[in-house]
Amino acid sequence: MEKEASYKDKKVITIGIVRELTGLSERQIRYYEERKLIFPERSLGGSRKYSFSDIELLMEIANKIEDGVQTFEIRQEIVRKQKKQDEKAIQKRMLQGQLNAQFGVRKR
Amino acid sequence: MEKEASYKDKKVITIGIVRELTGLSERQIRYYEERKLIFPERSLGGSRKYSFSDIELLMEIANKIEDGVQTFEIRQEIVRKQKKQDEKAIQKRMLQGQLNAQFGVRKR
DNA sequence: GCTCAAATGTGAGGTAATATAACATATAAT
DNA sequence: ATTATATGTTATATTACCTCACATTTGAGC
C-alpha cells in the first residue's frame, strides 16, 4: 500500500558531492539551508546528508537565484508547492478510504 | 535513445553511509573490494564512492557470506551474471541495428 | 590433525572532508 | 543612505576516511 521512499529521497550524499553535482559552493548550499530552502539530515558527527531530490531542488534554486529571485520568495514558492502536494496526498487517502469502505476491506 | 544512468547507479555515497545502510563493517566493505566483488569510484582525495546498486550488491554478498559462501565463489557468480547481462545488451543492440537498417534510420 | 588461506577485528599515523564562526564585500531592497 | 542579501574567504576544530600492519578465528584442503 505504502509507496516506498525510493532512493531519490534517501539522504545519503555529503556536501562535497552535492557541490560537484550542482556546481554550487558549499557556502551557498549551507546558506540556502539557513534560509530554510533545504533540510539535510545530519550524521551522528554532524555532517550534512542530502538526497537526490535535494540536489534537484538545489538546481532549481540556483536557477531562480540567477534570475534574481530572492531566497525569501523561493521559500514561499516551496511552501506553496509543498502544500499542494500535501492536499493531493490527503485527497488520495480519503478516496482510498471510501473505496475500502465501499468494498469492505478489512483492517488487520 | 540512451537509457540514462539513473540515480541508482551514481557513485555518490561514502563508505560510512554504506556501513550504516548495510550493517557491514568498513573493513568488510573494503575487503570485498580487494576480492573484486565491488568497484567503488574514488574522489580526488581518494575516498571511496558507492552507488545504491553497490549497496544492494553488498547486501546480497553479506547474505552469501553468512551462508558460508566464499568470496571466490561469489566473484564467479557475479562474473557469470555480468556476462549474461552483457550478452543481452549486445543482442538488443544488434536487433536495434537491424531495425534501423530495415527502416532506414539515419545517423548524424 | 596440521597447515594454510580466508575473513575480520583493531590500532597507529596521516590526509581529506566537513563543521562553525567571524569578517569582508558587493549588490540589491527599502 | 541605510540595511539586508548573498557570497567569498580564512581560521580553527572535529569527523571521516585512507593505508598498512599485526592479531585472531574459523573453515578448506590435504
Side-chain angles (χ1 to χ4, degrees):
Chain A
M1 205 68 238
E2 286 295 317
K3 187 189 285 181
E4 55 178 320
S6 81
Y7 295 133
K8 203 176 159 186
D9 296 308
K10 276 223 144 189
K11 309 241 178 184
V12 296
I13 307 177
T14 54
I15 196 169
I17 306 278
V18 175
R19 172 174 40 69
E20 286 175 21
L21 296 182
T22 61
L24 295 168
S25 71
E26 299 189 9
R27 182 70 163 90
Q28 286 175 305
I29 298 168
R30 296 197 188 99
Y31 179 67
Y32 299 151
E33 175 183 359
E34 188 183 322
R35 301 314 304 269
K36 305 207 185 306
L37 305 184
I38 43 174
F39 306 92
E41 293 180 359
R42 296 287 185 132
S43 74
L44 295 179
S47 299
R48 292 172 176 81
K49 298 186 296 182
Y50 302 86
S51 67
F52 282 111
S53 297
D54 290 331
I55 290 175
E56 287 186 3
L57 181 52
L58 278 170
M59 291 173 62
E60 289 180 34
I61 291 170
N63 284 333
K64 292 185 181 166
I65 294 278
E66 277 200 22
D67 294 349
V69 185
Q70 285 182 245
T71 55
F72 174 76
E73 313 169 53
I74 298 176
R75 176 163 65 247
Q76 292 184 330
E77 294 176 26
I78 291 177
V79 169
R80 276 196 295 270
K81 187 188 280 186
Q82 188 56 48
K83 227 171 210 166
K84 254 185 212 160
Q85 290 182 352
D86 289 353
E87 281 168 17
K88 266 189 195 166
I90 289 174
Q91 296 222 332
K92 196 172 168 192
R93 249 179 287 138
M94 287 181 66
L95 177 58
Q96 192 61 51
Q98 289 181 346
L99 288 173
N100 287 351
Q102 188 70 24
F103 296 103
V105 174
R106 302 241 174 280
K107 279 183 188 156
R108 35 167 183 160
Chain B
M1 205 70 234
E2 289 292 317
K3 187 188 282 179
E4 56 176 322
S6 81
Y7 296 132
K8 202 175 163 188
D9 296 307
K10 278 223 142 189
K11 308 241 178 183
V12 296
I13 308 177
T14 54
I15 197 169
I17 307 278
V18 175
R19 171 174 40 69
E20 286 176 21
L21 296 182
T22 62
L24 296 168
S25 71
E26 299 189 9
R27 182 68 163 93
Q28 287 175 303
I29 298 167
R30 296 198 188 100
Y31 180 67
Y32 299 152
E33 176 183 359
E34 189 184 322
R35 301 313 304 269
K36 304 208 184 306
L37 304 184
I38 44 173
F39 305 92
E41 292 180 0
R42 296 285 186 133
S43 74
L44 293 179
S47 298
R48 293 173 175 80
K49 298 186 295 181
Y50 303 86
S51 67
F52 283 112
S53 297
D54 291 330
I55 290 175
E56 287 186 2
L57 181 52
L58 278 170
M59 291 174 63
E60 288 180 36
I61 291 171
N63 283 333
K64 293 185 180 165
I65 294 277
E66 277 201 21
D67 294 349
V69 185
Q70 287 183 242
T71 56
F72 176 75
E73 314 169 52
I74 298 177
R75 177 163 63 249
Q76 292 185 331
E77 294 176 26
I78 291 177
V79 170
R80 275 197 293 274
K81 188 188 278 186
Q82 189 56 48
K83 230 171 209 166
K84 254 187 211 160
Q85 290 181 351
D86 289 352
E87 281 168 18
K88 266 190 195 167
I90 288 175
Q91 296 221 333
K92 197 173 169 190
R93 250 180 287 138
M94 289 180 67
L95 177 59
Q96 192 61 53
Q98 290 181 347
L99 287 174
N100 287 349
Q102 188 70 22
F103 295 103
V105 174
R106 303 240 175 280
K107 278 179 186 160
R108 39 169 181 159

